Amino acid sequence: MRLKYPSLRVLLLLLVYGCTNPIEDIKIVIDANVIKHSALITVTDPQQPGKTPANISLSVGGRDSAFVYEISGKREFKVTDGMIALGIAPGKTINKDSPAECLITVSAPGYLPSSQTLSFSAEQSQQLITVNLIKAISPPPGVSIAQKSAALTEGQLSQAFKTETPLQNKNESTTVTFSRSTAFNNEDKTIKGKLLLLSLSHFDSHSPASLQLFPGGLLSKGVTLPDGSTGTINFSTAGFFRLSLTVDNTPVSSADRDMAFALSIDPGLTNPGTGKTVTAGDKIGVWYYDEKSGKWAFLQQALIENAGNSKLSARFSSNAAGYYALCWYTVSCTNTLQVNVHTKNTNAGNGFIAAFFNSTDFFPYYVYRLDLSASSSSFSYKNLPQGLTKVAIFDYSAFNTWQSSGAGTSAPTPLTESGWIEACTSAPLDLSIPAGGPASEITLEFTGYCPLNQNLAIRPSMYVSFRESGTSSYQYLGYMNKGTLTTKALTPGKSYDFKSSYNGETIKVSRRIEQSTVSEKVQLPESTCKSF
């Protein structure tokens, strides 16, 4: 097997059958479970659930990017059918105090690019990440975009101008003002072009569609704080924006002089520092997001001012393009909150998800996929925001549909939830999931094969999605480990379509569930077969 990373090895088991030809007698079975910590990345358009943006590109950077591989063991990051599974190579040590980390950037023609930090911890072998791409021309409620062009004379603006994001479907906006004779740079070089193209995107402070696009998530690690130190904090945002500039199709990193920014602020927001409704005279931090490192840094304090007509705003200046946010923050708890989940359904499976909420915001700071392999299951979580929190358990399918769509102002009805508790408590939290109806346990056994090499069998380890045949949208089913996946999400007598992404290709299988164990030979893509 040709693998680009030298420490990735497969286990070859030679199964000898009682035949006469020594060549035909050998069956090579390959255990492809070489990556132990992975994440399934699903790219969606929240305005068109079930439809995948075309021509998606994904790049990987950040601290441990050299150890990131597609789950088949290759360094080719091809998104197929809106999915790709990434993992950390065995050569990278991951333990409790040292997670692996990388930055992914996802883009597609006609959409705003999205960057997100992935963290691979010792406690979680598999994780699910949804990346929502927002259309540049017709964004969802909570997001507004202004686009403008300006002529340049010898690379400079011949006159001052300003632009503001529209107020359609929202009450908040961003305004940027450029002064006359401003020139533009790509890194350290001035761009001598003739046409400036501007895209200004504003994201409000309360819409799920916008909050899900907060770069790196509201829980943020490695943040440069006001005193110059770094830490893990939880943001509470009053809104954020992204300024993208190009000169004659060359990306602009900065201007040669400051641009003036003004952000309107929802007067109904609560200031976490005072516990009261925000008012003129309050201060709020201005933060900048480095898209190369995936880290936020504090820039300055901004004064919240009256803007007339009972409106509020904050102003500041900077010369860099990119993401900015107005945020208060809290330092995360240093202890670990232990959550014990109980259910009467023994081996209930992975159809549930836990979400942590902060008292000042309905939007979950963190979600945790539950695998209830027994009547009780425990998990622990660090870095919750100081203050009050509650934990709610949801049906995974319903929660994932809401999170992917970005619709509405609240999550679906939870199966169970705690009251408000202090996030930094040392006392464990106990939750019970009500008993549901009996469910049949179905085991899927997939064996990959190559048409030109019938003596080769591959036991794939990959993420599997499913849908009932005749329906449109796929749901996550589970992680297939060494060719085997056991679930209670399937109903005997029904037909299902199964889908997975492996080695840059989409693998699809359709099967009617007739018995408790479904064994299926799956033809692998030609590109995968050539690797052996």
Side-chain angles (χ1 to χ4, degrees), residues 197-243:
L197 294 180
L198 173 151
S199 177
L200 181 64
S201 310
H202 179 87
F203 306 84
D204 73 17
S205 58
H206 47 268
S207 168
S210 62
L211 291 174
Q212 289 175 20
L213 294 170
F214 190 88
L218 295 171
L219 166 66
S220 192
K221 300 178 181 179
V223 178
T224 302
L225 301 174
D227 64 0
S229 65
T230 59
T232 298
I233 64 174
N234 295 269
F235 283 120
S236 179
T237 185
F240 57 104
F241 70 90
R242 182 178 190 265
L243 175 64

Side-chain angles (χ1 to χ4, degrees), residues 19-177:
C19 300
T20 58
N21 189 322
I23 300 299
E24 295 179 353
D25 290 346
I26 297 177
K27 183 78 169 180
I28 302 177
V29 181
I30 297 181
D31 166 14
N33 186 26
V34 294
I35 291 178
K36 306 300 182 183
H37 296 87
S38 60
L40 176 64
I41 316 297
T42 303
V43 184
T44 65
D45 177 348
Q47 296 168 270
Q48 295 180 295
K51 184 176 181 179
T52 301
N55 300 316
I56 298 171
S57 298
L58 181 143
S59 61
V60 180
R63 187 184 69 199
D64 297 314
S65 59
F67 296 95
V68 178
Y69 284 75
E70 197 271 337
I71 200 168
S72 67
K74 292 190 174 182
R75 286 279 292 175
E76 299 173 7
F77 305 125
K78 180 182 177 183
V79 180
T80 174
D81 207 10
M83 300 185 303
I84 183 172
L86 303 179
I88 298 295
K92 172 64 178 177
T93 300
I94 300 176
N95 54 47
K96 183 178 181 181
D97 299 317
S98 180
E101 186 179 282
C102 71
L103 178 72
I104 62 169
T105 300
V106 181
S107 59
Y111 290 83
L112 299 179
S114 176
S115 296
Q116 188 164 341
T117 300
L118 297 186
S119 182
F120 299 88
S121 65
E123 296 86 356
Q124 193 171 19
S125 298
Q126 291 89 39
Q127 56 183 311
L128 308 175
I129 305 295
T130 298
V131 177
N132 287 323
L133 292 183
I134 299 299
K135 288 183 177 178
I137 296 178
S138 56
V143 182
S144 56
I145 301 173
Q147 295 179 317
K148 191 170 184 176
S149 62
L152 301 176
T153 302
E154 296 183 357
Q156 298 181 350
L157 288 171
S158 57
Q159 59 184 5
F161 80 92
K162 72 176 182 179
T163 189
E164 181 179 11
T165 56
L167 290 173
Q168 184 179 4
N169 297 322
K170 60 199 306 250
N171 297 316
E172 303 150 53
S173 65
T174 298
T175 301
V176 58
T177 302

